Amino acid sequence: MTTKARDLGLGTGKKARLTRMLYRHGAGNGTALFLPYDQGLEHGPRDFFANPAAGSPSYIMKLAVEGGFNGVAVQIGLATKFYWEYAGEVPLVLKLNGKTEIPRDGAALSPVNATVEEAVRLGADAVGYTLYVGTPAQERDLEQYREVRQAAERLGMPLIVWAYPRGAAIEEHGGKDSFYAVDYAARVASELGADVVKVNFPHPEKRTGVRPPYEQEYSQQEAIGAVVRSANRSLVLISGGEKSGDDAMLEKARMSMEAGATGLIFGRNIWQRPHDESLRFAARLREVLDKYPR
Amino acid sequence: MTTKARDLGLGTGKKARLTRMLYRHGAGNGTALFLPYDQGLEHGPRDFFANPAAGSPSYIMKLAVEGGFNGVAVQIGLATKFYWEYAGEVPLVLKLNGKTEIPRDGAALSPVNATVEEAVRLGADAVGYTLYVGTPAQERDLEQYREVRQAAERLGMPLIVWAYPRGAAIEEHGGKDSFYAVDYAARVASELGADVVKVNFPHPEKRTGVRPPYEQEYSQQEAIGAVVRSANRSLVLISGGEKSGDDAMLEKARMSMEAGATGLIFGRNIWQRPHDESLRFAARLREVLDKYPR
Amino acid sequence: MTTKARDLGLGTGKKARLTRMLYRHGAGNGTALFLPYDQGLEHGPRDFFANPAAGSPSYIMKLAVEGGFNGVAVQIGLATKFYWEYAGEVPLVLKLNGKTEIPRDGAALSPVNATVEEAVRLGADAVGYTLYVGTPAQERDLEQYREVRQAAERLGMPLIVWAYPRGAAIEEHGGKDSFYAVDYAARVASELGADVVKVNFPHPEKRTGVRPPYEQEYSQQEAIGAVVRSANRSLVLISGGEKSGDDAMLEKARMSMEAGATGLIFGRNIWQRPHDESLRFAARLREVLDKYPR
Amino acid sequence: MTTKARDLGLGTGKKARLTRMLYRHGAGNGTALFLPYDQGLEHGPRDFFANPAAGSPSYIMKLAVEGGFNGVAVQIGLATKFYWEYAGEVPLVLKLNGKTEIPRDGAALSPVNATVEEAVRLGADAVGYTLYVGTPAQERDLEQYREVRQAAERLGMPLIVWAYPRGAAIEEHGGKDSFYAVDYAARVASELGADVVKVNFPHPEKRTGVRPPYEQEYSQQEAIGAVVRSANRSLVLISGGEKSGDDAMLEKARMSMEAGATGLIFGRNIWQRPHDESLRFAARLREVLDKYPR
Amino acid sequence: MTTKARDLGLGTGKKARLTRMLYRHGAGNGTALFLPYDQGLEHGPRDFFANPAAGSPSYIMKLAVEGGFNGVAVQIGLATKFYWEYAGEVPLVLKLNGKTEIPRDGAALSPVNATVEEAVRLGADAVGYTLYVGTPAQERDLEQYREVRQAAERLGMPLIVWAYPRGAAIEEHGGKDSFYAVDYAARVASELGADVVKVNFPHPEKRTGVRPPYEQEYSQQEAIGAVVRSANRSLVLISGGEKSGDDAMLEKARMSMEAGATGLIFGRNIWQRPHDESLRFAARLREVLDKYPR
């Protein structure tokens, strides 16, 4: 990373924090396995019925430490009340914006719930921001994003962008996890200064209404490769999304790392199962990461 | 330039930076050939399928240095992560606003993604702002433009206005590249203090619904001449737009320079072809510029 | 003016600047002939086809000096790039807001493009603000007007209000140049603190839909007299509007001065004709003003 | 002035105000005769015993108008209470700092009593600042001067620096009106951005303790010539100082203008005599200025 | 420079501006020859008697262009009124603080006369700050230095520190140009964040009262080598000081470059001689620099 981060054009503080997360935690080889835990806000408690223990932030924090995750991503309330116990043992990613799934998604905008300065105060090693690429609310979204980006720059805090295509126009052009939409979203995050970009695994087979070059046939490997290239110097994390079969997830992980991604950010696929299975699955993902030192 | 820039009513810092770009780079005779590279945000990665190498900002920065361009125009993310390698070797134009093409264009507004102060911090020699002339969002657009203009004045930073007619009313009156619309846009940029204005080449044959004096027949040379006069002391750059035939582009360049334009800002026509062809085409454009010292 | 301006309740700086414009320029007798030149923004370059030379702000600035005008009114871009050559030779009126005519006018609002402080920095002797009286956007219009008025007060800068009736409701009640609408607009400007108010010459014959007292028959002289009285201590300037016959304009001027107006603000009627004719017509208008010392 | 002021590197507002003062008042040929009237603060009323009428600021303001002075320089209190009557008839120079002569002068510092913004509000055409060159208080003096200079730049207000050598070290090196001290003071004002510098006429015969090159013999004409050159693009005004013989003053004026000074700033020599004699002497000074158009 | 500047830990803007000055001006090989011209403030006009033409800032600016200097260093007044003519043709170094030599030097402090923002507005490529190392005023000096350093960081402006030992304690310990004092000053500048440090050539033979290790005998080459090492990643410029013999100056230059200095900053040794001789001597210095590409 030492060499790599310099090539990324990062300031000293961002480099220090990224190096810490990627080389002193997890596989320790510049790859990453993050544990996201903002589903309680985004989806509500329904996500915890599969494994009620996972409804407890303490349980998750402890899991992140035990599982050797490179970081745990939470909203301000959980960070404030639960991170102090594990502060310094696992890196904290403070998710700065977030919303409920209750109102319609047509003009989705994720409001800012905390600041970069609060992330500093809590000892976080990165902040997260959800950018809804393509919605009619794009104007306000980009404005609040700009302020977050500038604060992150000023305070040397790595900025992870959840780059999520959304809105009616996206639905007309392949949908939110089409290759077209994910590729565009990765590029937008890169153009606008994300240090790390979190995307869904792209679906090249979703071609209805997409722009010309995406109408052709692409393999999954080709698609994820293009997305990583579109992100260029923004490190890429692949979302796990809804819980799915382990082998499919592992294959997704392998293809992503093969394509040059930095790592994975898997939540429900980790904690929507009993504690020991969670650790076992995390270990299997780590084995994939071990093969792709950065 | 000494005499010229003084006549332009420019402050010292704006003159220093413009002189540097126009007389110490490129043809070095007061003309300009800029390389714009914000299509990744404006159109998404689809523009890079013709020449995948061009998807890499490093490739483009290097091309700008090798091709002796007068500057490369990018968004904040790419400037932050890629310009430092070439800092001081090719002038940087920081594009301050920008948006995706995904939502509908009816009330187009390009949100501000970066500030003039950031441009200064990155060592830029100019900033760019897209003003959508004629849209229903005109009010908010002019307000955010005013703040950019004032910051550019305060920090001695040349302001390049992408003067783009847009919106339903424009579509009813000749369309966005009609002589009527382009001429009006050039004038608006000048009235509101652009140091440089970037316009599309005007189409005098698009006359449906235009205002009276534009209903008559004008040659392309007459139209571009009028546009340059409407810009008066704002230097004029002609956009290349979509990739087109080389001879047509060279003729467009020649007519523009003959009309008094300062230069060209060609992106896709340059980098949507293999590396060596890009350099060869840039050299042919330079030959045109060589004939029109300012 | 000494006595007069004191009676107007003006602070020292406003009085100094008004005295300078009205007694040390033009007829020098407290009357005024201003040259407005913001049509390039408001209407686009189409207004310059009648006399292409007038498309050049330099030409206009020189005309203002040669013709002995009491001031020239322009937007910030032209003031910045063209006034320095003539700075101190003819007073500058910085027009602070303005818009294009492209989007529909139903809820017209003229966004603020420059500040009173910028007017001070450029050495202006007055600022101009277009207030669209009666539009649905009145609320935002009055808010931004208030800020301009307060800044003008703080910096001793005379405030000229372009009081223009506009919007659907106005169209239903006599139209924008009916006696009813102009009279109301003049009063609004006065009620809200204009130092000078610019109005169109009122048309008492436009009576369709006007409020009761305006339904009666009034002579033009009665109408303009009423408008000047409605403006009370706001000095009145009469707009020239579109180019019209010289004799009609001179008669309009005479009636206005007879009614107590301070002067005229004629643009297209001046510069939409060859240079020498412009000067000759300005001289004829001056002859009218000479007869009405204030 | 057009050409000259442009060469001076002045912004538009400074040029407008200087042009106004130097070309539309007084001799009207780019020279200047200013009337300073801050002696009531600097020396107390003792200066008015010679001509008690001159104790009245109204008397002085009226004299400035009648005598066709290029400006009258006063402190904030007099500007506020007396200038409004003559606002716009004679330019106002607001003296921003000043002090009494009562405490010892060893570490002289002239505190700031008003701001550039107040000068703008009062319609002033210039501000004045006394810089005591060489005193032990130099550090604080330069700091408050910097703020005045920056405000004057921001508001386009010409800055006249009263460049006065002072303090024990000056007394040891030739004294405050030695050629050495005046020459250094003129240069300091120029190095630090004065638009106009007011100096005492230099005495080349005061050579005790001066730095080497000043130990030689110089004529008065050589000395004043060197001082004007040291001021380079800062216009030079020569102080009258204490009342002296008319012929000596006229000769001093002639030599100064011959050397390239812009004009004179004579107070006590003007108003410490009866009204009509004041006007007659001003007329004789004007005759000198008439011979040196700038 | 690409490699080198990266190693210096510089942000993008600082790198852009340093690269421009060191690789696109002068010898163009990463070395530097600067022309300092703040002696009019620091010493007064006495420095110009040897070559009166040099009293004119225009003469100096032109000399800097003709002589191919890497930059010209002046105070704010001269930068404002003289640089615009040559803006963009030779880099500007805005000297931010400065003082007269008139008051005693015992507790020397150089007050801040201009800001980094003003340097940006004027298009400067670096700012200069005089830090008097060792004076009793050290506390206030370091405070105002900190603000300058922070502003330079925020705006990407290279900071050149004139590291000058001064004050009674220095006089007791070898004097201001002793090896001991210069070596300490170079280290202080480096410890406190100078991008470039300007020092006098060290005199190892001045050993009276110096600290133990400096009491030994060192050659001049050893001394300058140590000073450059003390500056570590702050680039070193050697001052010319008072005019001296050409061969001695050339030898000083050679030893400095051999020791790893980046270049020279010679004023009086350049411009205290006739114009053509100045250019000839600059050319001889350039020959030395040509041998030490960085």
Side-chain angles (χ1 to χ4, degrees), chain E residues 122-164:
Chain E
L122 289 163
D125 273 330
V127 292
Y129 181 92
T130 296
L131 187 73
Y132 286 128
V133 176
T135 78
Q138 167 174 276
E139 186 185 331
R140 285 183 346 267
D141 204 357
L142 290 182
E143 276 176 20
Q144 68 178 17
Y145 167 76
R146 183 190 67 227
E147 288 178 19
V148 166
R149 177 185 59 71
Q150 290 172 335
E153 190 68 31
R154 185 168 56 82
L155 294 168
M157 184 64 74
L159 172 54
I160 305 177
V161 173
W162 271 233
Y164 283 177

Side-chain angles (χ1 to χ4, degrees), chain D residues 6-10 14 133-136 138-140 142-143 145-146 149-150 153 166 168-170 172-173 179-180 183-184 187-195 211-214 218 226 229-230 232-234, chain E residues 37-49 52 54-58 74-78 80-85 98-104 107 109-115 118 121 137 140 144:
Chain D
R6 199 202 304 189
D7 293 344
L8 296 177
L10 296 169
K14 288 195 174 198
V133 176
T135 79
Q138 164 175 274
E139 187 187 329
R140 277 171 12 251
L142 290 181
E143 276 176 18
Y145 167 76
R146 182 190 70 226
R149 179 185 59 71
Q150 290 173 333
E153 190 69 32
R166 275 295 184 290
I170 286 288
E172 289 165 20
H173 299 295
F179 175 22
Y180 162 68
D183 201 23
Y184 202 155
R187 182 76 191 194
V188 168
S190 161
E191 294 264 343
L192 298 181
D195 299 311
R211 295 272 179 178
Y214 298 93
Y218 297 97
R229 281 192 304 278
S230 290
N232 53 72
R233 287 183 182 165
S234 305
Chain E
Y37 186 66
D38 60 343
Q39 294 84 352
L41 175 63
E42 300 288 340
H43 311 148
R46 67 181 170 89
D47 276 4
F48 307 130
F49 281 66
S56 158
S58 288
V74 295
Q75 290 281 336
I76 183 70
L78 304 194
T80 302
K81 295 205 191 304
F82 294 89
Y83 182 59
W84 66 266
E85 268 186 279
K99 60 166 191 56
T100 72
E101 66 176 9
I102 302 170
R104 276 176 232 294
L109 178 78
S110 189
V112 170
N113 301 313
T115 64
E118 287 179 298
R121 179 156 55 243
R140 285 183 346 267
Q144 68 178 17

Side-chain angles (χ1 to χ4, degrees), chain D residues 54-75:
Chain D
S56 157
S58 288
Y59 171 90
I60 294 291
M61 293 278 172
K62 193 145 172 287
L63 185 66
V65 172
E66 290 169 348
F69 283 80
N70 296 75
V72 57
V74 295
Q75 289 282 337

Side-chain angles (χ1 to χ4, degrees), chain A residues 6-10 14 133-136 138-140 142-143 145-146 149-150 153 166 168-170 172-173 179-180 183-185 187-196 211-214 218 226 229-234, chain B residues 37-49 52 54-58 74-86 96 98-104 107 109-115 118 121 137 140 144:
Chain A
R6 194 198 310 187
D7 293 343
L8 296 177
L10 296 169
K14 287 194 175 197
V133 176
T135 79
Q138 165 174 272
E139 185 186 331
R140 277 169 14 249
L142 290 181
E143 277 176 17
Y145 168 75
R146 183 189 69 224
R149 180 186 57 71
Q150 290 172 334
E153 188 70 32
R166 274 298 183 290
I170 286 290
E172 290 165 19
H173 299 295
F179 175 21
Y180 161 69
D183 200 23
Y184 202 154
R187 182 77 192 193
V188 167
S190 161
E191 294 264 342
L192 298 181
D195 299 312
V196 183
R211 295 272 179 178
Y214 298 93
Y218 297 97
R229 280 194 304 279
S230 289
N232 52 73
R233 287 185 182 163
S234 304
Chain B
Y37 186 66
D38 60 343
Q39 293 84 354
L41 175 62
E42 300 288 340
H43 311 148
R46 68 180 169 90
D47 277 4
F48 307 130
F49 281 66
S56 159
S58 289
V74 295
Q75 289 282 336
I76 183 71
L78 304 194
T80 303
K81 295 209 191 301
F82 295 89
Y83 182 59
W84 65 267
E85 267 186 279
Y86 301 95
L96 299 184
K99 60 166 191 55
T100 71
E101 67 176 9
I102 303 170
R104 275 175 232 296
L109 178 79
S110 189
V112 170
N113 301 315
T115 63
E118 288 179 297
R121 179 155 54 245
R140 288 187 340 269
Q144 69 178 16

Side-chain angles (χ1 to χ4, degrees), chain C residues 7-225:
Chain C
D7 294 344
L8 296 176
L10 296 170
T12 303
K14 287 195 175 196
K15 188 191 161 196
R17 291 179 173 95
L18 271 181
T19 299
R20 203 144 62 199
M21 282 194 292
L22 303 185
Y23 290 88
R24 298 187 71 92
H25 289 272
N29 63 350
T31 64
L33 177 57
F34 285 98
L35 190 64
Y37 187 66
D38 60 344
Q39 294 83 354
L41 175 62
E42 300 287 341
H43 311 147
R46 68 181 169 89
D47 277 4
F48 308 130
F49 281 67
N51 174 28
S56 158
S58 289
Y59 172 90
I60 294 292
M61 292 278 171
K62 195 148 171 285
L63 186 66
V65 172
E66 289 169 349
F69 283 80
N70 295 75
V72 56
V74 295
Q75 289 281 336
I76 183 70
L78 304 194
T80 302
K81 295 206 191 302
F82 294 89
Y83 182 60
W84 65 266
E85 269 186 278
Y86 301 95
E89 299 181 29
V90 60
L92 172 68
V93 178
L94 188 67
K95 187 75 200 312
L96 299 185
N97 63 348
K99 59 165 193 55
T100 72
E101 66 175 9
I102 302 171
R104 277 175 231 294
D105 227 23
L109 178 79
S110 189
V112 171
N113 301 313
T115 63
V116 180
E117 188 178 307
E118 287 180 298
V120 168
R121 178 156 55 245
L122 290 164
D125 274 331
V127 291
Y129 182 92
T130 296
L131 188 74
Y132 285 128
V133 177
T135 78
Q138 167 174 274
E139 186 185 330
R140 288 188 339 272
D141 203 356
L142 290 182
E143 275 176 21
Q144 68 178 16
Y145 168 75
R146 183 191 67 227
E147 288 178 19
V148 166
R149 178 184 58 71
Q150 290 171 336
E153 191 68 31
R154 186 169 55 83
L155 293 168
M157 184 64 73
L159 173 55
I160 305 177
V161 173
W162 270 234
Y164 284 176
R166 274 295 184 292
I170 287 288
E171 288 319 302
E172 289 164 19
H173 299 295
K176 66 188 181 182
D177 55 357
S178 64
F179 175 22
Y180 161 68
V182 173
D183 201 25
Y184 201 155
R187 184 72 194 194
V188 168
S190 161
E191 296 265 347
L192 298 180
D195 299 310
V196 182
V197 56
K198 171 184 190 284
V199 291
N200 285 310
F201 197 90
H203 286 250
E205 76 282 6
K206 299 201 172 175
R207 289 182 284 183
T208 315
V210 300
R211 297 272 178 177
Y214 297 93
E215 287 173 343
Q216 295 174 38
E217 234 171 79
Y218 297 98
S219 70
Q220 287 188 313
Q221 189 67 57
E222 284 171 327
I224 182 65

